[in-house]
Amino acid sequence: MTTIKTTYGRRAFLKNVAATSGGMVLGFSWLTSCQTQPVEEVLAMPDEWFNINSYLKIGDNGVVSIFAPNPEFGQNVRTSMPMLVAEELDVDWKNVIVEQAPYHPSDFGMQFTGGSRGIMSRWEPLRMVGASARQMLRQAAAQAWEVPVSEVTTDAGVLYHEASSRSATYGEMASAAAAVTVPEEVQLKAISDFKLIGKSQKNVDGKDIVTGKPMFGVDYKKEGMLIAMIEHPPAFGMTLKSFDASEAKAMPGIKDVVKIKSYKDGYEKQGFDANAFPELVAIVGNSTWEVMQAKKKLKVEWEPFQTYEEVYGGRRGSQTRTVPAGLESTDSHQSTMEAYAAKAGKIARRDGNPEAAFKKAATILERTYTAPYLAHNCMEPMNSFAHVEGDKAQIATPIQIPSLIVPTLAASLGITAENVQMDMTRMGGGFGRRAYGHYVVEAALISQKVNAPIKLMYTREDDMTQGIYRPTYQATYRAALDENNKLLALHIKAGGVPESPLFANRFPAGAIDNYLAEEWSVPSNISIGAFRAPRSNFMAGAEQAFLDELAETMGQDPIEFRLALLQRAKDNPVGERNDYDAARYAGVLELVKEKSNWGTAEAGTSRGVAAYFCHNTYAAHVLDLKMEKDRPVVEKVTTAIDCGIVVNPDAATNMAEGGIVDGIGNAFFGEMTFKDGEPQKKNFHEYRMIRMSEAPKAIDVHFVQNETAPTGMGEPPFPPIFGAVANAMYKATGTRQYNQPFLKEEKVAG
Amino acid sequence: MAKFNLKINGENKEVDVDPTTPILWVLRDHLDLVGTKFGCGIAQCGACTIHLDGVAMRSCQLPVSAVGSQKITTIEGLSKKGTHPVQQAWLEHDVPQCGYCQAGQIMSAAALLENNADPSDQDIDAAMNGNICRCGTYVRIKAAIKTAAKMS
């Protein structure tokens, strides 16, 4: 058992009735009424609710309502986070309903979805929420029964005093519990006592999803709401010059056409304010189809902009960056990257004497890997609801990090952040894209200008060509071998447009005596942003493909080769800082070796292995594929994950499966290209997405069993899959491929 | 603008819209049936899938003027209480992640099973290849379709 002080986030545990009734329920009726119920039975709702703390209330009939604090985009924290509360509260999961918390950080802490950090950061705080509520119930029972608290026990929503054979349900004791002072200290359960955590629970939203209930940003409605759409430049490097709205305004159902400017002059943008198109034309009308038709009649003139300086805020204070003028093309990106890669980079790490090692090498293996820009392509296009009235804004939007857009929103509207009321709708996919809330600012500015509630909708074309892409990258790996094929040195030189993907302190740094890592970057005006495991999503594939080829050159089995390096990193690490635990990293390789029956390949099946550590979790894959009529067919992926304690095993498995399918799809097909600044793919007939027939026939996920505090699953399985695909394809075709996407000439299936 | 009488989920609905309006937007903007989703507008993603007299159709490219007296079924009308075998199988396999594509997936799957009670893997691929799942739940979708086939 862990005793823990309820100090951090303590205010959240105060049953602040004023905040509950005034801040959270009023005006939030659409979404807080989206309660979920367990599928098996229809729960009777209580006559009265008692607020125990800002996260949970208990009904007089024992039903418990728990707020899911973080935004949801399919990672299923709406199930797993309430599970943490319910575990320590000690209630039957069947009696729990989940409500979506509005954006209210003083009550709910950091409401942030990204970086695979959700469960990791909420692990102890949410358990504390449940434990402190349980403590208050025990206190209330002890008072009612006039017995010591230590003699009051609980089990699945019932309080007991065994000595006097008394019991009371949580429902019966809730009113009294609500009056108890929040305890200073609570005890958390021992892991061995978990009843809920570690046992798969069904998605609390399953029933609503399969019956088409409104839940996404695009589904939000309010009386009097108008639809808005924007027109942004067709190419990066361009800005708004002028527009003629006369024809568009004359179209049926159109209310207005306005220009909006997302940032006030001199506004210091923060990291998640990335936006290449701050000046837009917006059309407002009665219905989506009418606005879509009018959009076609808009006459807009765009012009190239001059190079300018942009001031950015961040952890290191104000910085200036140059946004270069120009209309960039994929061809120019490739030739520029080659030129930068040929020059000396910025040294990020140097161990031993790599230059000397390369000079005396008998063999040097050198390979260069590239990958293109990627578009996130969330299934739900960018959208937001906003209603700005005077100095107040009511927002309902799919957003990953509300706290990072509220300051910009307030500044652009000219109101205070306190007057922004925000509901976080369910997101139809995020992948990092919805951390950049420019669309919230746009919807609010439009609402302010036309003085009406607005739902801003992006078409798929608007969305796919708006930017905030995964950058294009290039990495060269060089290994020096002596005459006995012993590894002497490793040299990595990585770069990209506009950022380097290098992680200098990741494996195999720490396992190699002579090591050099350097990097470069090319300035660009094409906007980029976090894409599922940023930078890792390229480096892992390049690194794991190189290690595969290096192992082959050295005559070693790819898994044994990695395990030997990890052994060295564990026993006698090189350097001061190595960003991985060699034992845990080896653990996932050992587990995947065992579960895939490595070494006993099926006839006609080609296998590739890859492993990686990022976002606090270790992942290893063995991918089995066959060639059918010159096309690769993925038969099976066997996966080993070390993410510590697995809160909801089936949901975690679903996340691994999703990351695997996403990785295969992007490795095979993912690609955004540019010509004179214009994105060349605007919809799914041009941008190839992985389809049902291309997904693996089977995926088998295994978790390392340990008692380490949980870490995330959203990103870690994704990066190494690119390496597993590359390595399996080599075995299948006899040719190694170094440039993604690997199936470039594929046409879209009918 | 013109008046259209539509048969949707067993009910008669009258709308007054431009004849070119796709059924997708009639449903979402004029009839408060938002289960059918917009993903691409060019029938490439399947999120807008409905049934027209039982046949799976992409409603983003089905103008209201073309419907006439044909019966429209949306995800909301697939069953009374979410108990269609496909919906039940989806819950049994805990298929969805973000959930945005799933109404379209379910509608395509339900139409497949109406025509083919015991589809092979290739049958499933062919019927479902028009439905994109960005979250990658394809393996679960296929398993759920097979379970639904056994249930019916």
Side-chain angles (χ1 to χ4, degrees), chain A residues 6-320:
Chain A
T6 61
T7 46
Y8 60 106
R10 185 183 160 73
R11 271 169 56 205
F13 305 146
L14 300 179
K15 11 150 206 53
N16 188 338
V17 176
T20 305
S21 55
M24 297 198 306
V25 176
L26 279 181
F28 289 58
S29 56
W30 182 79
L31 280 164
T32 53
S33 69
C34 285
Q35 296 172 351
T36 61
Q37 295 185 351
V39 187
E40 305 78 38
E41 48 201 75
V42 178
L43 272 185
M45 285 298 105
D47 291 323
E48 218 183 331
W49 286 106
F50 301 98
N51 295 298
I52 308 299
N53 58 46
S54 56
Y55 284 85
L56 73 91
K57 53 191 187 217
I58 301 178
D60 56 10
N61 66 350
V63 171
V64 179
S65 173
I66 302 176
F67 271 112
N70 283 20
E72 173 68 56
F73 61 14
Q75 82 280 38
N76 209 1
V77 284
R78 277 174 56 87
T79 304
S80 51
M81 286 184 182
M83 278 171 73
L84 302 180
V85 176
E87 175 73 73
E88 297 286 351
L89 179 59
D90 197 5
V91 285
D92 193 328
W93 185 242
K94 288 206 297 288
N95 289 330
V96 172
I97 61 174
V98 172
E99 292 185 65
Q100 182 62 45
Y103 174 62
H104 212 253
S106 57
D107 281 332
F108 300 110
M110 191 57 175
Q111 295 170 282
F112 169 114
T113 289
S116 304
R117 298 190 69 88
I119 286 291
M120 191 170 124
S121 29
R122 294 283 190 181
W123 173 243
E124 266 181 7
L126 286 180
R127 288 173 66 199
M128 248 161 54
V129 166
S132 69
R134 177 177 169 268
Q135 180 69 4
M136 289 156 73
L137 285 156
R138 289 174 68 217
Q139 195 79 46
Q143 271 158 217
W145 297 334
E146 292 174 320
V147 300
V149 182
S150 55
E151 289 177 14
V152 178
T153 57
T154 66
D155 185 29
V158 184
L159 295 137
Y160 296 96
H161 184 246
E162 274 185 47
S164 60
S165 299
R166 274 182 290 191
S167 69
T169 65
Y170 281 15
E172 287 161 347
M173 211 49 76
S175 172
V180 171
T181 311
V182 174
E184 294 279 336
E185 225 174 59
V186 288
Q187 297 200 306
L188 299 183
K189 283 186 183 181
I191 290 161
S192 52
D193 293 334
F194 285 160
K195 296 182 207 170
L196 197 57
I197 293 170
K199 294 188 176 50
S200 297
Q201 304 301 327
K202 297 272 195 226
N203 189 330
V204 299
D205 294 315
K207 188 91 187 226
D208 285 355
I209 292 170
V210 305
T211 53
K213 296 282 186 298
M215 42 178 46
F216 298 95
V218 290
D219 299 331
Y220 190 89
K221 287 199 178 181
K222 188 176 179 182
E223 188 69 44
M225 186 178 84
L226 298 174
I227 303 292
M229 294 192 135
I230 51 90
E231 196 72 13
H232 65 62
F236 293 88
M238 302 202 86
T239 190
L240 181 62
K241 183 177 177 187
S242 68
F243 63 98
D244 174 0
S246 50
E247 242 189 285
K249 270 186 176 167
M251 292 287 284
I254 300 308
K255 297 292 191 201
D256 206 352
V257 176
V258 297
K259 175 181 157 178
I260 58 164
K261 203 169 114 169
S262 299
Y263 313 97
K264 291 221 152 85
D265 287 337
Y267 179 68
E268 188 175 285
K269 292 162 88 173
Q270 304 297 308
F272 289 91
D273 283 321
N275 184 1
F277 305 133
E279 291 191 13
L280 305 170
V281 183
I283 307 186
V284 183
N286 291 331
S287 71
T288 313
W289 185 245
E290 287 172 312
V291 176
M292 278 178 168
Q293 302 320 297
K295 199 155 116 76
K296 295 177 194 166
K297 304 290 187 187
L298 248 192
K299 293 187 178 63
V300 189
E301 265 198 276
W302 313 98
E303 60 184 357
F305 57 69
Q306 304 299 308
T307 297
Y308 66 93
E309 305 277 291
E310 192 169 53
V311 181
Y312 252 91
R315 266 174 296 155
R316 279 178 266 158
S318 294
Q319 306 217 294
T320 312

Side-chain angles (χ1 to χ4, degrees), chain A residues 470-481:
Chain A
R470 198 285 303 262
T472 182
Y473 297 118
Q474 181 172 312
T476 298
Y477 281 77
R478 293 169 72 233
L481 302 170

Side-chain angles (χ1 to χ4, degrees), chain A residues 679-740:
Chain A
Q680 295 294 283
K681 301 182 186 188
K682 300 180 174 53
N683 207 320
F684 296 128
H685 61 302
E686 296 166 321
Y687 197 110
R688 184 73 156 84
M689 306 289 284
I690 184 171
R691 305 278 175 163
M692 162 81 80
S693 61
E694 291 141 352
K697 300 218 167 98
I699 300 177
D700 193 22
V701 181
H702 300 272
F703 294 96
V704 172
Q705 298 299 314
N706 59 38
E707 295 195 345
T708 308
T711 53
M713 280 299 295
E715 289 159 296
F718 181 64
I721 259 297
F722 290 83
V725 169
N727 297 337
M729 286 203 54
Y730 166 60
K731 280 283 184 306
T733 64
T735 309
R736 289 197 189 264
Q737 281 179 279
Y738 302 96
N739 305 303
Q740 290 169 32

Side-chain angles (χ1 to χ4, degrees), chain A residues 350-532:
Chain A
R350 187 175 175 280
D351 298 321
N353 194 341
E355 297 80 6
F358 276 95
K359 268 214 180 74
K360 72 172 191 206
T363 311
I364 294 176
L365 179 68
E366 176 174 326
R367 295 290 182 259
T368 297
Y369 303 85
T370 68
Y373 285 89
L374 296 175
H376 295 78
N377 289 341
C378 304
M379 281 317 294
E380 181 195 19
M382 297 305 114
N383 68 85
S384 182
F385 171 85
H387 189 190
V388 178
E389 289 178 288
D391 63 352
K392 291 190 167 47
Q394 187 231 323
I395 311 286
T397 190
I399 185 96
Q400 290 179 225
I401 317 178
S403 61
L404 293 182
I405 202 59
V406 167
T408 303
L409 186 58
S412 297
L413 290 172
I415 67 175
T416 63
E418 292 69 45
N419 284 350
V420 174
Q421 188 196 93
M422 190 177 285
D423 269 306
M424 308 167 312
T425 69
R426 191 181 190 89
M427 291 175 267
F431 307 102
R433 181 63 180 83
R434 280 192 241 259
Y436 302 87
H438 60 90
Y439 48 89
V440 187
V441 179
E442 290 157 17
L445 287 170
I446 296 166
S447 173
Q448 190 178 57
K449 276 229 154 132
V450 303
N451 204 19
I454 288 291
K455 181 193 293 176
L456 171 65
M457 283 285 306
Y458 270 47
T459 63
R460 176 58 57 188
E461 291 81 4
D462 294 336
D463 184 301
M464 203 179 284
T465 61
Q466 201 278 345
I468 313 185
Y469 300 117
R470 198 285 303 262
T472 182
Y473 297 118
Q474 181 172 312
T476 298
Y477 281 77
R478 293 169 72 233
L481 302 170
D482 72 10
E483 60 280 358
N484 298 314
N485 266 345
K486 185 172 151 254
L487 182 61
L488 296 174
L490 182 68
H491 174 203
I492 308 171
K493 192 171 185 186
V497 188
E499 64 169 19
S500 152
L502 183 72
F503 290 98
N505 297 314
R506 289 190 177 174
F507 180 77
I512 299 171
D513 288 300
N514 305 298
Y515 174 84
L516 178 66
E518 48 178 332
E519 59 188 338
W520 48 268
S521 60
V522 179
S524 166
N525 58 35
I526 296 177
S527 60
I528 59 106
F531 184 118
R532 196 171 205 170

Side-chain angles (χ1 to χ4, degrees), chain B residues 75-99:
Chain B
I75 184 69
E76 291 93 340
L78 186 64
S79 67
K80 276 220 163 63
K81 289 185 179 171
T83 52
H84 189 282
V86 172
Q87 289 168 314
Q88 287 187 57
W90 246 242
L91 296 179
E92 188 179 311
H93 290 266
D94 224 15
V95 173
Q97 287 185 30
C98 88

